Amino acid sequence: MADIRRTLTLRDVSEASGVSEMTVSRVLRNSGDVSPATRAKVLAAAKTLGYVPNKIAGALASQRVNLVGVVVPSLSNMVFPEVLGAISSVLEDTGLQPVFGVTGYTPEKEERVVYEMLSWRPSGLILAGLEHDEAVRAMLASAGIPVVEIMDTDGPVIDSAVGISHTRAGRMMAEAIIAAGYRRIGFLGTRMTNDHRARKRFEGFSAALAEAGIAIEDQESYEGGSALAKGREMTAAILGRSPELDFLYYSNDMIGAGGLLYCLEQGIDIPGRMGLAGFNDVELLDGLPMRLATMDACRAEIGRQAAEIVAAKHPAGFIGGEVVTLTPRLQRGDTIR
Amino acid sequence: MADIRRTLTLRDVSEASGVSEMTVSRVLRNSGDVSPATRAKVLAAAKTLGYVPNKIAGALASQRVNLVGVVVPSLSNMVFPEVLGAISSVLEDTGLQPVFGVTGYTPEKEERVVYEMLSWRPSGLILAGLEHDEAVRAMLASAGIPVVEIMDTDGPVIDSAVGISHTRAGRMMAEAIIAAGYRRIGFLGTRMTNDHRARKRFEGFSAALAEAGIAIEDQESYEGGSALAKGREMTAAILGRSPELDFLYYSNDMIGAGGLLYCLEQGIDIPGRMGLAGFNDVELLDGLPMRLATMDACRAEIGRQAAEIVAAKHPAGFIGGEVVTLTPRLQRGDTIR
DNA sequence: GTGAAAGCGCTAACAT
DNA sequence: ATGTTAGCGCTTTCAC
């Protein structure tokens, strides 16, 4: 005879323990009053059988799902795992469970991921960025759950948002650079088609420079590959073309670190002859020969507050959204004089 | 009047389109024959309403869930995101959806995460490592779904496994080091209480050395913090204590990279006076001043094959498991002479 | 090609 | 403190 595998149900536990399904359910959820005696019986039966409750049925019956969707563009970026960590640790003691989705920076995939997540009727959704297709905005707006957009606050918000102004972050860096006396400035970054936050930093950066009468003299951009290696290559390329530059602003710390290593190898005097800065304040910078100037993107704090907003809101009856704008902090490091 | 938010049901689409719920369901799932005319009506109605199907109800009714649980110890490690990426991309075109869980290297949390996942009745489960509490093994063994343990194949398997032998990886590195003529060897790693794979590499490494009559002369270990910075510190410490060492084996590339940067700064002749090696072959190594010797852990391939096993197996009737042992490749780089 | 009835495994609400 | 009934929103099965 074939071993017909059926997964266990409440009914099995009920029969094994001689207690009604309803009471078994109560025991397993610690809900309502159950006498210690029956409680023990039920627990014993469930354990011996190896019963694992079916949350699908539970969720359908109770109309409650303890899931929070978290949608980010990438996991290889090093910055998102940190945000996810902060979200997880806050949700840990709320009974909510994060479920991650990755969009690969493409709007089409974002739409699919959001649709998929909403079809599981999560208690809330956290997603990176403010730029979404109309279809996504519509789904989210009518989902009837808290939606928190994270990382960025420069733009219209669907419900709630926690982040920094990347435009402002770019401006701040420009101001620090100008104040330090650098004047011939190069920019190195990703091709920014879908990295809106990098684009906003660039815009803020160049606007602030322009106000001081300074133009960005040269630029390099890359796509894919090892960011550290790309940082080296791009730096070699831009300095080959424009040796007069006295400052290089990188759109992230990894390429900045690559650039820093390159400059040090070339014997370029940092921060005297040339200054360097990145963005994100990644942990890696601690181990480099020299501390790269950067700006803290408040990643952990963003994750924490986003999770708190989702956890605090009640499934029904919430209305307004809050927008929390954190202030990025400049870390001068050793590469701005 | 409060705006009572109810999420839309099939019934709403049915009423809006004047088609029975059943037919609406068929259209939305592309199942069965539906006339183009009604099909169009239904699609239009669903779209205008903004209907998102309720997968909870669907899963309960059909007894099918398109979810695959993926349980890893950490996301900040840089190695797991890569595995997850490979899993995602294979599952992408199978209709299955990965759901990630993180254990933080603790058995307690692993048990919670696995239990939680099983309670959603996923189609399969992929989890890192072979070391699990008895409770976890029991749950998985009786879950009636494909279970794939990844990364490691040194030990008893629950169902299927895809990975490398870390013991063997350690041995291979030891052999390469001996063959290159290094004799006074130091080891730097994590405190290995719960990192079983690092422990196995260490065991294979020291066993192979012992067979050649060589003992590990000194060791350093760390926990938490920036791995790159720790690599520097540990290297400074171990060389301070044991300046006679001529090879340093690091349990991962990040601390190895830190050690490499330190040695270069100290003007130590690499790989002549001293050799270095790490483990994982992370992308970052491409951008360093010198290519650290390492060993490829086959991360992408592991993710790919694990996903294929889960995707291929049929919900019912599967029995045996397969164990795929991949062979790690030594990358000599520039730090072994 | 379309529809009606039954039920997936649980929990809310109401008995007792 | 425990049990009973109804039903969550879908899909399966069977009828037309």
Side-chain angles (χ1 to χ4, degrees), chain A residues 132 230 307 323:
Chain A
H132 313 289
K230 290 291 177 187
V323 175

Side-chain angles (χ1 to χ4, degrees), chain A:
Chain A
M1 263 330 41
D3 170 14
I4 301 293
R5 279 204 173 282
R6 211 182 37 81
T7 101
L8 297 164
T9 69
L10 262 190
R11 173 170 205 124
D12 297 304
V13 182
S14 166
E15 286 171 357
S17 62
V19 175
S20 79
E21 288 186 39
M22 195 55 231
T23 302
V24 171
S25 168
R26 282 196 267 254
V27 170
L28 267 20
R29 284 176 298 139
N30 300 309
S31 112
D33 291 327
V34 182
S35 77
T38 47
R39 176 182 193 72
K41 259 194 297 189
V42 169
L43 257 17
K47 177 141 204 181
T48 8
L49 293 176
Y51 172 69
V52 177
N54 185 330
K55 285 223 181 189
I56 298 176
L60 184 60
S62 66
Q63 302 284 73
R64 251 174 309 182
V65 180
N66 71 333
L67 264 24
V68 174
V70 182
V71 180
V72 297
S74 153
L75 288 178
S76 50
N77 201 310
M78 232 174 196
V79 3
F80 295 110
E82 193 168 335
V83 178
L84 301 186
I87 291 175
S88 298
S89 83
V90 171
L91 294 186
E92 200 116 312
D93 15 66
T94 65
L96 291 170
Q97 253 235 329
V99 176
F100 307 129
V102 178
T103 69
Y105 286 101
T106 76
E108 303 76 39
K109 189 136 185 246
E110 179 180 60
E111 182 172 345
R112 283 218 309 282
V113 170
V114 167
Y115 184 82
E116 190 74 19
M117 285 198 160
L118 288 182
S119 75
W120 286 99
R121 300 293 188 266
S123 301
L125 213 54
I126 296 174
L127 69 173
L130 298 171
E131 282 73 21
H132 313 289
D133 276 2
E134 204 37 63
V136 172
R137 302 182 64 83
M139 280 193 274
L140 293 175
S142 65
I145 55 171
V147 172
V148 185
E149 291 168 281
I150 56 171
M151 311 307 284
D152 187 8
T153 57
D154 286 328
V157 168
I158 296 173
D159 175 16
S160 296
V162 184
I164 64 169
S165 162
H166 286 261
T167 312
R168 172 121 192 275
R171 298 195 77 90
M172 284 169 67
M173 187 56 85
E175 286 157 10
I177 290 170
I178 295 169
Y182 297 103
R183 288 294 177 272
R184 324 223 29 187
I185 294 163
F187 180 88
L188 302 88
T190 44
R191 272 192 237 304
M192 293 171 290
T193 32
N194 282 305
D195 187 345
H196 301 282
R197 292 176 288 286
R199 194 199 70 227
K200 289 173 185 178
R201 288 196 295 278
F202 175 73
E203 288 168 359
F205 183 70
S206 47
L209 288 183
E211 286 164 20
I214 302 175
I216 290 176
E217 298 198 12
D218 199 354
Q219 274 181 257
E220 271 286 321
S221 66
Y222 79 107
E223 222 163 3
S226 162
L228 202 65
K230 290 291 177 187
R232 279 176 181 278
E233 293 168 22
M234 292 162 73
T235 305
I238 202 171
L239 292 182
R241 255 197 332 261
S242 311
E244 77 285 2
L245 295 176
D246 66 3
F247 200 97
L248 300 178
Y249 180 37
Y250 296 86
S251 81
N252 68 63
D253 284 338
M254 286 301 281
I255 55 174
L260 172 59
L261 289 175
Y262 174 83
C263 289
L264 292 176
E265 276 167 41
Q266 298 298 312
I268 298 172
D269 166 28
I270 310 281
R273 159 76 186 82
M274 181 146 63
L276 303 172
F279 181 82
N280 260 334
D281 198 13
V282 300
E283 207 184 63
L284 181 102
L285 298 186
D286 289 340
L288 262 22
M290 186 178 260
R291 192 115 195 9
L292 181 69
T294 188
M295 197 161 276
D296 174 18
C298 310
R299 303 187 295 287
E301 183 63 13
I302 287 172
R304 205 178 60 63
Q305 294 208 31
E308 278 168 0
I309 290 176
V310 168
K313 287 203 173 166
H314 295 287
F318 78 93
I319 315 170
E322 28 187 321
V323 175
V324 179
T325 304
L326 302 172
T327 305
R329 282 180 303 279
L330 175 69
Q331 316 284 147
R332 306 192 74 88
D334 310 314
T335 62
I336 297 183
R337 68 180 162 231

Side-chain angles (χ1 to χ4, degrees), chain B residues 198-216:
Chain B
R199 195 200 68 227
K200 289 173 185 176
R201 288 197 296 279
F202 176 73
E203 288 168 357
F205 183 70
S206 46
L209 289 183
E211 286 164 20
I214 301 175
I216 290 176

Side-chain angles (χ1 to χ4, degrees), chain B residues 243-320:
Chain B
E244 76 285 3
L245 295 176
D246 67 2
F247 200 96
L248 301 177
Y249 181 37
Y250 296 86
S251 79
N252 68 62
D253 284 339
M254 286 302 281
I255 55 174
L260 172 59
L261 290 175
Y262 174 82
C263 290
L264 293 176
E265 277 168 40
Q266 299 297 310
I268 298 173
D269 166 29
I270 309 279
R273 159 76 187 83
M274 180 145 64
L276 303 172
F279 180 82
N280 261 335
D281 198 14
V282 300
E283 205 184 64
L284 180 101
L285 298 186
D286 288 340
L288 261 23
M290 186 177 262
R291 193 117 197 3
L292 181 68
T294 188
M295 196 161 276
D296 175 16
C298 310
R299 304 187 293 288
E301 184 61 13
I302 287 173
R304 204 178 59 64
Q305 294 210 31
E308 278 169 0
I309 290 177
V310 168
K313 289 206 171 164
H314 296 287
F318 78 94
I319 315 171

